[in-house]
Amino acid sequence: IERHRAVNELEFELEALRDDRDAAADEIEEIDARLDEREELEARRESVAEELQVQRTRIERLEAEMVETFNDRMAEVLSLLDYDGIDRIWIEARERETREGRRKVTERVFDLHIVRRGDEDGVYEDTVDTLSESEREVAGLVFALAGYLAHDLDETVPFVVLDSLEAIDGDR
C-alpha cells in the first residue's frame, strides 16, 4: 500500500512537471513569436524613418524652389510693371524655435521683405500693410504662381484661371 501510495505521488508529481514543461514550451513559442514581430516592427520603423526623411527632403526642396521662383519672378514682374517706389520684394526662409506643449520645436517661417526707394535714392524696408491694393494683388499672384510652379502643377493643370484683375490698376 505504501509503495502504491509512493507511485501515485510520483505520478502526480510527474504530471505536474509535464504541465510545467508544456507551459514553459508555450511561453517559449510566444516569446519567439513576439521576437519575430519585434524584428518586423523594427524593419517597418526603419522603412518609415527613411520615408519620413525622403518627405522632409522633398518639402525642403519644394520650399527652396518656391522661394527661388518667387524671388526671381517677383523681380521680373516689378521690372515689367514699373512700380514707382518699390525697389525689391523677396521672401526669406528661416527657422525659429517655438513651444508645442512642453517641448521646443523648430519650425520654418517665411518672411516677406519689401524695400522701397525713398526720396533722393534712399532705401528702407517696408511692410506689406503699406502696399497699395495693386501691389498686394501682384505680390499675391506671383506667390501663388511660384507655388504652382514649385509643386509642378503646370504638368497636370497646364493653365491658370483668374476671375478678376480689377485690383491691379489699368495701366499695368
Side-chain angles (χ1 to χ4, degrees), residues 133-151:
E133 183 179 7
S134 174
E135 293 165 340
R136 277 194 311 271
E137 291 292 327
V138 167
L141 180 61
V142 171
F143 187 76
L145 290 174
Y148 173 82
L149 293 173
H151 289 280

Side-chain angles (χ1 to χ4, degrees), residues 98-105:
T98 59
R99 296 190 71 73
E100 268 187 20
R102 293 184 177 185
R103 62 187 178 117
K104 288 184 180 180
V105 295

Side-chain angles (χ1 to χ4, degrees), residues 8 38 49 56 65 78 80 96 117-119 123 149 155:
N8 282 341
R38 180 179 178 172
R56 283 185 178 150
E65 188 177 325
L78 288 176
L80 291 170
R96 73 173 178 198
R117 266 180 267 120
D119 296 336
V123 295
L149 293 173
E155 294 174 7

Side-chain angles (χ1 to χ4, degrees), residues 74-135:
M74 195 69 210
E76 288 177 28
V77 168
L78 288 176
S79 164
L80 291 170
L81 296 182
D82 194 32
Y83 279 105
D84 295 333
I86 295 181
D87 194 43
R88 184 174 177 214
I89 297 177
W90 81 98
I91 291 178
E92 175 187 26
R94 64 182 178 86
E95 292 182 352
R96 73 173 178 198
E97 281 192 4
T98 59
R99 296 190 71 73
E100 268 187 20
R102 293 184 177 185
R103 62 187 178 117
K104 288 184 180 180
V105 295
T106 302
E107 67 179 7
R108 286 183 64 86
V109 293
F110 299 91
D111 295 328
L112 181 67
H113 296 279
I114 301 164
V115 175
R116 288 198 179 267
R117 266 180 267 120
D119 296 336
E120 300 176 23
D121 293 331
V123 295
Y124 60 96
E125 189 158 350
D126 206 355
T127 65
V128 73
D129 299 333
T130 61
L131 291 176
S132 70
E133 183 179 7
S134 174
E135 293 165 340

Side-chain angles (χ1 to χ4, degrees), residues 38-54:
R38 180 179 178 172
E39 290 172 2
E40 289 174 16
L41 290 174
E42 286 176 351
R44 184 167 179 238
R45 185 181 79 199
E46 288 177 20
S47 172
V48 168
E50 289 172 6
E51 180 62 24
L52 180 62
Q53 185 60 37
V54 166

